[in-house]
Amino acid sequence: MMNYFFIRRRLFTLAMLLSLSALLPAGQAIAQNMQEPAPEGSVPVDPADPWENWNRKVYTFNETIDRWFLKPVAQAYRTFTPQIVDRGVTNFFNNLTELRNFTNSVLQLKGESAVVAVGRFTYNTTFGLGGLFDVATAFDLPERPEDFAQTLGYWGAGSGPYLMLPFLGPSTPRHFTGFVTDGFALPSAWDEVESPEVYYARALQIVDRRADLIPAESFISGDSYVFVRNAFLQRREFLINDGKVVNDPFASDDNEDLMLDDF
């Protein structure tokens, strides 16, 4: 048990160091881009995506893995799994995130959202057969997703530049730090799942989430990399601001109203 918590603490510390080290070169790149004119014929650097060259290579790598492995499995899952079962699996995993929602609501001093998270988990676990049915929404308690990246944003931490991670997909230094903190530092319902069952459950969760994204692919147009980047950044800003409409620095003329819940 002591080794387990030691490993979690080390991973959390590593995530913080990676995030801080990631911010420094980005800040220097942005500052240089603002102070010095770009060489003639060079490609302009997007302040929101100064690592675009690296990000596109990782995006291509992720697309290849997805095309040959993950997507075919997700398509088969979507084809042979009855809709009610598919919905139940999604609801079950969403219900496990209510502890995360509660913890981060408290950290953001959002008392109402914390009460909603407790209510949703209680209703769905008790009356929804362990979370297979989302009865809380029927009781006018829709989910209020909160994660540690949103907590960091709530207290004024900047997101940092866009960052495409191998296997994990779209991110930013703030989002990655929040992801690791939620997974390894803060309490999680996943802590109660024993090995090796936890690996089977995680694999099912990944396939289920990928299957749920298949219909959204029909909305992708133009440069898919730019489309996914804008969708992710818009969604994160939407969550950070609790759905309030703000000036969106990431929107383009083609998809400025895009909001994909699963990114």
Side-chain angles (χ1 to χ4, degrees), residues 30-64:
I30 294 173
Q32 183 179 11
N33 185 55
M34 293 176 63
Q35 296 173 1
E36 301 178 4
E40 185 177 356
S42 64
V43 179
V45 176
D46 185 346
D49 190 5
W51 303 326
E52 182 173 352
N53 185 47
W54 156 265
N55 287 337
R56 283 187 178 274
K57 293 177 181 177
V58 178
Y59 178 78
T60 300
F61 169 79
N62 288 345
E63 283 285 282
T64 302

Side-chain angles (χ1 to χ4, degrees), residues 229-246:
R229 180 190 66 191
N230 290 350
F232 173 80
L233 294 176
Q234 287 180 39
R235 175 61 179 170
R236 293 308 304 176
E237 288 302 306
F238 179 85
L239 293 174
I240 293 292
N241 293 283
D242 291 330
K244 296 177 182 178
V245 178
V246 295

Side-chain angles (χ1 to χ4, degrees), residues 96-118:
L96 295 181
T97 66
E98 293 300 342
L99 179 57
R100 181 202 68 189
N101 295 341
F102 169 78
T103 303
N104 285 287
S105 294
V106 172
L107 292 176
Q108 295 174 51
L109 309 180
K110 298 178 180 178
E112 183 178 344
S113 294
V115 172
V116 168
V118 173

Side-chain angles (χ1 to χ4, degrees), residues 20-231:
L20 291 175
S21 65
L23 282 170
L24 293 176
Q28 295 170 358
I30 294 173
Q32 183 179 11
N33 185 55
M34 293 176 63
Q35 296 173 1
E36 301 178 4
E40 185 177 356
S42 64
V43 179
V45 176
D46 185 346
D49 190 5
W51 303 326
E52 182 173 352
N53 185 47
W54 156 265
N55 287 337
R56 283 187 178 274
K57 293 177 181 177
V58 178
Y59 178 78
T60 300
F61 169 79
N62 288 345
E63 283 285 282
T64 302
I65 297 297
D66 179 71
R67 184 185 310 114
W68 289 101
F69 298 100
L70 184 56
K71 186 174 181 179
V73 174
Q75 288 175 324
Y77 171 85
R78 188 175 179 85
T79 299
F80 295 105
T81 304
Q83 186 174 2
I84 187 173
V85 176
D86 180 26
R87 186 70 254 174
V89 171
T90 301
N91 289 338
F92 175 80
F93 288 119
N94 286 344
N95 191 49
L96 295 181
T97 66
E98 293 300 342
L99 179 57
R100 181 202 68 189
N101 295 341
F102 169 78
T103 303
N104 285 287
S105 294
V106 172
L107 292 176
Q108 295 174 51
L109 309 180
K110 298 178 180 178
E112 183 178 344
S113 294
V115 172
V116 168
V118 173
R120 281 184 55 82
F121 185 79
T122 302
Y123 278 121
N124 289 339
T125 301
T126 304
F127 304 110
L129 301 181
L132 294 177
F133 297 95
D134 184 8
V135 298
T137 299
F139 288 136
D140 199 25
L141 287 174
E143 182 185 13
R144 299 187 182 186
E146 300 287 351
D147 54 47
F148 194 72
Q150 291 169 248
T151 298
L152 292 174
Y154 177 85
W155 292 106
S159 69
Y162 182 67
L163 176 64
M164 180 66 68
L165 296 172
F167 300 107
L168 297 178
S171 188
T172 63
R174 182 178 66 191
H175 179 263
F176 176 67
T177 301
F179 170 79
V180 175
T181 304
D182 283 327
F184 295 99
L186 298 182
S188 171
W190 285 97
D191 296 339
E192 304 303 319
V193 184
E194 300 293 337
S195 178
E197 288 78 9
V198 64
Y199 301 111
Y200 303 144
R202 283 296 193 184
L204 176 60
Q205 182 187 34
I206 292 172
V207 173
D208 176 72
R209 181 168 295 181
R210 181 62 183 90
D212 291 340
L213 281 172
I214 290 177
E217 294 178 357
S218 62
F219 294 103
I220 297 178
S221 60
D223 187 336
S224 62
Y225 169 82
V226 173
F227 190 96
V228 170
R229 180 190 66 191
N230 290 350

